[in-house]
Amino acid sequence: IFSGQVSGQIPTQVGDLPYLETLEFHKQPNLTGPIQPSIAKLKRLKALRLSWTNISGSVADFLSQLKNLSFLELSFNNLTGSIPSSLSQLPNLDALHLDRNKLTGHIPKSFGEFHGSVPELYLSHNQLSGNIPTSLAKLDVSTIDFSRNKLEGDASMLFGLNKTTQIVDLSRSLLEFNLSNVEFSKSLTSLDLNHNKITGGIPVGLTQVDLQFL
């Protein structure tokens, strides 16, 4: 963890630490440039956090080579381009935070095929567009935050009686579906659907859920 102030790009030397398990650059406004390719050499890395910086460029496809990675946070940066579908190949990933960047394109269909379990999936505050892939119906995650994008169409596949989802935020997008027949997880505690084009009635099933926020 680099606690002092860092300027310029991530040093290439980070790739020369073969036993490193955690790499964190947090609240480093003077950190710029792309995600350092030498990070791909850190085969034992379990947690990578590059957040609240000014790094730019794309979400690097080579991150999918870090097979021991369980936590990946690239939030509050200036990352652009699309989300690489290869991230779903990370077998031990527990949390994926790509929120508050300038990412465009679609949510990858492969995200319905995560090899491990992904209890936290944060893609909010980007410029993602298109429909949410139906393959995501297979996901059972504790937290889904797709808010403040340009997503369209149906999002009902994210819900389900047998899921363990606790928090869902789909607010401020262009989603359009009928809420009437959607079935909700009994574990749901927070549901935010505001500023969309959702129709229908509020399902009776929501009265059987211990919601803290609606």
Side-chain angles (χ1 to χ4, degrees):
I1 299 175
F2 290 81
S3 56
Q5 288 298 309
V6 179
S7 297
Q9 298 189 25
I10 298 171
T12 58
Q13 290 86 348
V14 298
D16 299 328
L17 302 168
Y19 298 101
L20 197 67
E21 294 188 357
T22 299
L23 178 60
E24 178 175 328
F25 289 91
H26 179 59
K27 291 192 175 179
Q28 299 283 349
N30 297 320
L31 192 66
T32 58
I35 299 173
Q36 176 56 248
S38 65
I39 290 175
K41 295 161 62 177
L42 304 175
K43 300 303 182 184
R44 301 194 183 194
L45 201 64
K46 295 180 179 179
L48 176 60
R49 186 185 192 193
L50 308 175
S51 57
W52 294 80
T53 77
N54 275 304
I55 62 171
S56 55
S58 63
V59 177
D61 187 64
F62 62 71
L63 295 174
S64 63
Q65 300 173 27
L66 302 173
K67 300 303 183 184
N68 285 313
L69 208 61
S70 61
F71 180 85
L72 176 58
E73 180 178 352
L74 303 175
S75 306
F76 289 88
N77 295 304
N78 291 314
L79 297 171
T80 56
S82 59
I83 300 172
S85 60
S86 59
L87 292 181
S88 65
Q89 298 171 14
L90 292 168
N92 299 302
L93 198 63
D94 291 330
L96 178 61
H97 296 246
L98 300 178
D99 49 303
R100 295 182 184 267
N101 282 287
K102 300 174 182 176
L103 300 174
T104 55
H106 296 68
I107 297 174
K109 293 180 182 178
S110 64
F111 274 26
E113 305 291 342
F114 268 104
H115 293 181
S117 65
V118 184
E120 298 178 1
L121 186 55
Y122 290 85
L123 305 179
S124 70
H125 292 78
N126 281 291
Q127 299 169 28
L128 301 174
S129 59
N131 291 340
I132 297 173
T134 55
S135 60
L136 268 63
K138 303 174 187 176
L139 284 182
D140 184 10
V141 299
S142 69
T143 302
I144 299 174
D145 189 352
F146 292 171
S147 64
R148 292 181 184 264
N149 280 290
K150 300 175 182 178
L151 299 169
E152 304 172 20
D154 193 356
S156 62
M157 84 291 289
L158 298 175
F159 303 98
L161 265 179
N162 297 322
K163 296 191 176 185
T164 59
T165 309
Q166 297 175 8
I167 299 171
V168 178
D169 189 347
L170 303 175
S171 63
R172 295 183 180 272
S173 218
L174 303 170
L175 297 169
E176 189 170 359
F177 61 97
N178 190 314
L179 190 67
S180 301
N181 297 318
V182 175
E183 295 183 321
F184 295 94
S185 162
K186 293 290 194 298
S187 57
L188 195 66
T189 60
S190 177
L191 177 63
D192 193 343
L193 301 175
N194 81 78
H195 288 82
N196 281 289
K197 301 177 181 179
I198 297 171
T199 59
I202 298 176
V204 175
L206 269 181
T207 64
Q208 302 167 356
V209 176
D210 293 330
L211 280 174
Q212 300 171 16
F213 179 88
L214 175 61

